[in-house]
Amino acid sequence: MKVIDTDIPDVKIIEPQVFGDDRGYFMETWNQQKFEELVTGKPTQFVQDNHSKSKKGILRGLHYQTENTQGKLVRVVAGEVFDVAVDIRKDSPTFGQWVGVYLSAENKRQLWVPEGFAHGFYVTSDEAEFVYKCTNFYDPKSEKSIIWNDKCLSINWPIDNDCDFILSEKDNSGETIKESKCLKSKR
């Protein structure tokens, strides 16, 4: 496993070692010991796995939970997405900054989005299947959404024009980062 730093030190890109030949390929997608040693530097327990499928132009997010915050290890098993993590920890030196990474079945990259981050993605291929491990259970009562086009964040989504994407009603009515209930770091 190769771990790549991003502009936000706590967010990491993970490239698995892929062994392939004319029959196909093999890769290890999860290893507790390596993940804790190379990515988080501390014990990390995942309690829930999720799998979603979306069509081209779907934008999901930016989601976070105010209680039972979740760290997420995300990857794409079919298609491609532009994946975004936004630091919403009020006392963080990178508060309000974001990282955007293309994740695809082809590049096999994963993104570690720690607790204290809002997360979202935009589907750039005809379809995409997105899988992720979570460090806490989904808590619908504390789920919030930051609006995708918050001017304070200035996320550079790969959208040609505002007509080329589809949002849920919940995501379309998200708050700005200034209006949101941002989190305190757990350090």
Side-chain angles (χ1 to χ4, degrees), residues 5-90:
D5 292 330
T6 68
D7 290 341
I8 300 176
D10 294 333
V11 177
K12 305 288 186 190
I13 298 167
I14 301 164
E15 287 185 348
Q17 189 172 10
V18 181
F19 303 93
D21 58 28
D22 58 346
R23 299 170 298 156
Y25 68 87
F26 169 85
M27 68 180 188
E28 184 177 76
T29 61
W30 170 246
N31 181 305
Q32 184 87 27
Q33 185 177 15
K34 288 180 185 176
F35 186 79
E36 291 174 354
E37 179 184 322
L38 300 173
V39 179
T40 64
K42 64 181 181 179
T44 304
Q45 180 182 0
F46 291 103
V47 298
Q48 180 177 318
D49 282 8
N50 299 323
H51 186 143
S52 72
K53 183 176 181 179
S54 303
K55 297 184 289 185
K56 184 175 185 148
I58 299 291
L59 194 151
R60 297 189 187 270
L62 300 156
H63 302 149
Y64 68 100
Q65 292 182 178
T66 56
E67 303 293 326
N68 306 309
T69 58
Q70 295 178 308
K72 297 176 182 176
L73 180 61
V74 302
R75 68 187 179 107
V76 171
V77 296
E80 179 185 73
V81 305
F82 182 71
D83 198 72
V84 174
V86 178
D87 190 347
I88 60 169
R89 301 168 298 176
K90 286 182 181 177

Side-chain angles (χ1 to χ4, degrees), residues 85-169:
V86 178
D87 190 347
I88 60 169
R89 301 168 298 176
K90 286 182 181 177
D91 58 345
S92 169
T94 55
F95 173 75
Q97 293 179 29
W98 60 274
V99 168
V101 177
Y102 284 95
L103 303 177
S104 69
E106 187 175 318
N107 71 22
K108 297 174 183 47
R109 285 181 157 188
Q110 298 179 63
L111 187 67
W112 167 239
V113 181
E115 294 176 357
F117 284 74
H119 173 259
F121 64 90
Y122 173 72
V123 179
T124 58
S125 56
D126 288 338
E127 286 185 336
E129 290 193 45
F130 190 84
V131 296
Y132 53 107
K133 303 176 93 50
C134 299
T135 60
N136 214 329
F137 297 104
Y138 175 62
D139 182 4
K141 292 178 188 162
S142 73
E143 185 183 37
K144 300 289 184 185
S145 184
I146 294 175
I147 192 73
W148 68 278
N149 60 352
D150 184 342
K151 291 187 185 345
C152 289
L153 299 176
S154 297
I155 296 172
N156 190 18
W157 297 99
I159 300 171
D160 290 334
N161 65 57
D162 288 351
C163 298
D164 290 340
F165 70 97
I166 303 164
L167 285 170
S168 70
E169 182 152 337

